[in-house]
Amino acid sequence: MSKIKIITVLSIGFLVTFLHTNVSVAQSQDSVRYGFFPSFSYDSDNGINVSIDLQRFDYSDGIQPFNNYSKYRLSYKGIGAYTFSYYRDQVQTFGTDKRSAFDLLINQNYGNYFTGYTLDGEFNRDRFDNTDYYQFDSFLLNIGAETRLPISAVEGVRRTDIKIGLRVVHEKPFDHQPNTYMTEVQPIGWNGSTYTFAEVGYIKEARDNEFRSQQGYLFSHSFKTSIPGLSETWIGQLYTDLRMFKQFTEEGAMPEVILGQRVLNNYTMGEIPYWFAPSLGGNGALRGFMYRRFVGEASILSITELRTWLFELPWLDSDVGFNLFVDNGAVYKRNFSDWTGGTSYGFGGFMSIFSRDFILKYEMGFSEDGAAVYLGSGFSF
């Protein structure tokens, strides 16, 4: 049966940002600042959709790039789906030069979907658009912590670290329906799975700013392995992330033009559950394609982005800018065969407000799938 969807009929997004401790609009290194972004929408499939994003920047004690940073997000859909996420980053843990982070994600999703491994055959697009064949309901718990141990002198954002981390992931599809992809194909993890991961990595950080990079680079390479006895099967992952930035105009003078380039490679090993499979599509990974459009055993992604800060709004301590981007990506098998992927492109607008580090963005991506709009906080990298 063809499903007729009424596009959002009401959508309201607004922001409130404010200062605490220091009421001056000029950013102080002894201030605590907040960014608050709530939104509301309605559509015929999900009913009311409400989300709230809150970020907290603590610049106290003159620590660079910050003393600590926290991010909260809560969203709810009228059908009962919800998401809660929390992230905390402490630059000097217990007064040491060790940097640590903690994150938590809880998600109950009605209408999630998995179309299978792209390299095993194209999914039926008409079936995806007009039926619930690929859809399933799921609960996800993802909790992790990491510590960065410096192996070089720490100079603000610039540092070289060894990273160690621990993570637990539990995802369980529920209320399986007959004659759906999950019940017919039964990919690994289709009936629920729990994995505990240990991770070790290397990070070379040489950017001028973490949230608003304009010069420098970041290189990260890590190996993640599931822990026997605490995981369903053994799986491993090699993950490499390179980000480079070049500013072509004089610093501080408007307009500012910055070229950013990011390259990511995700290579997995072992019998991986469907949710661990490298995928491309959606926000930050082939914008314009639908989420999980390409799925494989490994993936590579290139993002090229031209950002231009155009003008200032002094009474808001705000900068406003515009960006263009091109995303290229592919998934492939572990023997480096059977590559498939796509290219997307788009544009967007962004602004920082009351803090250089709190950035709101609006992006539109175009691909052979069509077009998609992304609204949120922070650059894609």
Side-chain angles (χ1 to χ4, degrees):
M1 178 184 300
S2 177
K3 182 166 54 177
I4 300 176
K5 181 176 180 180
I6 301 175
I7 305 298
T8 302
V9 296
L10 178 61
S11 181
I12 301 174
F14 57 96
L15 65 93
V16 179
T17 57
F18 53 91
L19 306 179
H20 176 68
T21 300
N22 188 326
V23 296
S24 155
V25 296
Q27 183 161 310
S28 167
Q29 292 304 314
D30 292 314
S31 64
V32 176
R33 300 186 173 224
Y34 296 82
F36 182 51
F37 181 65
S39 65
F40 170 85
S41 65
Y42 173 85
D43 66 64
S44 59
D45 287 346
N46 301 318
I48 294 174
N49 305 307
V50 180
S51 68
I52 300 173
D53 288 88
L54 173 65
Q55 297 183 39
R56 180 181 185 273
F57 304 84
D58 183 349
Y59 300 105
S60 61
D61 301 326
I63 300 173
Q64 294 294 321
F66 47 77
N67 183 9
N68 58 70
Y69 165 68
S70 300
K71 183 176 182 178
Y72 308 81
R73 186 173 196 278
L74 176 64
S75 67
Y76 175 78
K77 296 180 179 180
I79 58 175
Y82 65 87
T83 298
F84 173 75
S85 64
Y86 169 69
Y87 175 78
R88 167 81 175 190
D89 190 345
Q90 184 76 40
V91 172
Q92 295 184 0
T93 307
F94 301 119
T96 70
D97 58 3
K98 299 174 180 61
R99 183 171 177 175
S100 60
F102 170 83
D103 63 89
L104 169 68
L105 171 63
I106 303 173
N107 173 254
Q108 181 163 288
N109 195 346
Y110 295 95
N112 193 10
Y113 60 85
F114 182 69
T115 61
Y117 290 84
T118 308
L119 300 174
D120 294 336
E122 288 291 329
F123 75 99
N124 187 312
R125 183 73 200 210
D126 182 68
R127 204 174 200 180
F128 176 84
D129 289 338
N130 299 302
T131 74
D132 295 331
Y133 178 70
Y134 293 105
Q135 296 186 14
F136 64 95
D137 303 331
S138 65
F139 173 81
L140 168 67
L141 172 64
N142 189 329
I143 182 171
E146 67 176 47
T147 299
R148 292 170 56 172
L149 311 174
I151 56 176
S152 69
V154 178
E155 300 178 6
V157 181
R158 303 175 185 274
R159 55 188 294 163
T160 304
D161 301 315
I162 296 296
K163 178 181 72 173
I164 56 174
L166 187 66
R167 181 168 301 279
V168 178
V169 181
H170 169 75
E171 178 158 330
K172 182 176 178 59
F174 59 89
D175 290 344
H176 285 298
Q177 301 300 313
N179 303 317
T180 61
Y181 182 90
M182 277 293 180
T183 55
E184 289 182 2
V185 179
Q186 298 184 9
I188 297 175
W190 80 282
N191 215 22
S193 56
T194 303
Y195 285 79
T196 301
F197 296 99
E199 181 178 11
V200 60
Y202 170 87
I203 300 176
K204 176 68 175 179
E205 177 83 65
R207 295 177 293 175
D208 58 343
N209 185 283
E210 291 196 20
F211 300 96
R212 184 175 168 160
S213 302
Q214 301 187 173
Q215 292 278 11
Y217 66 92
L218 166 69
F219 175 77
S220 174
H221 182 69
S222 63
F223 172 69
K224 181 185 294 182
T225 177
S226 60
I227 300 176
L230 299 177
S231 305
E232 304 287 329
T233 60
W234 180 82
I235 57 178
Q237 178 189 56
L238 286 171
Y239 192 83
T240 304
D241 184 359
L242 174 62
R243 312 178 190 189
M244 298 176 289
F245 304 91
K246 174 64 177 178
Q247 182 172 338
F248 294 98
T249 53
E250 183 178 348
E251 184 176 357
M254 293 291 181
E256 294 180 346
V257 180
I258 302 99
L259 179 65
Q261 175 66 49
R262 186 180 189 185
V263 179
L264 302 95
N265 188 69
N266 184 1
Y267 185 92
T268 62
M269 296 159 278
E271 299 180 355
I272 58 177
Y274 70 90
W275 48 261
F276 193 75
S279 65
L280 299 175
N283 189 15
L286 291 187
R287 287 162 284 186
F289 283 99
M290 69 181 199
Y291 176 60
R292 282 179 177 164
R293 174 60 180 87
F294 303 100
V295 182
E297 297 172 333
S299 68
I300 187 166
L301 174 67
S302 168
I303 302 175
T304 304
E305 193 161 312
L306 184 68
R307 302 171 186 164
T308 303
W309 291 100
L310 297 174
F311 56 87
E312 300 177 349
L313 302 175
W315 61 93
L316 289 177
D317 193 19
S318 174
D319 297 334
V320 178
F322 174 82
N323 69 319
L324 300 170
F325 62 83
V326 177
D327 297 350
N328 290 279
V331 296
Y332 57 96
K333 291 188 175 180
R334 293 181 186 133
N335 61 0
F336 301 99
S337 66
D338 300 331
W339 294 62
T340 185
T343 299
S344 64
Y345 58 93
F347 63 90
F350 50 82
M351 66 183 298
S352 65
I353 185 161
F354 285 126
S355 168
R356 286 175 55 88
D357 295 338
F358 182 58
I359 296 170
L360 296 175
K361 69 174 181 180
Y362 173 95
E363 293 178 330
M364 178 170 284
F366 302 88
S367 72
E368 62 186 34
D369 274 359
V373 173
Y374 306 97
L375 177 67
S377 60
F379 287 121
S380 57
F381 66 95

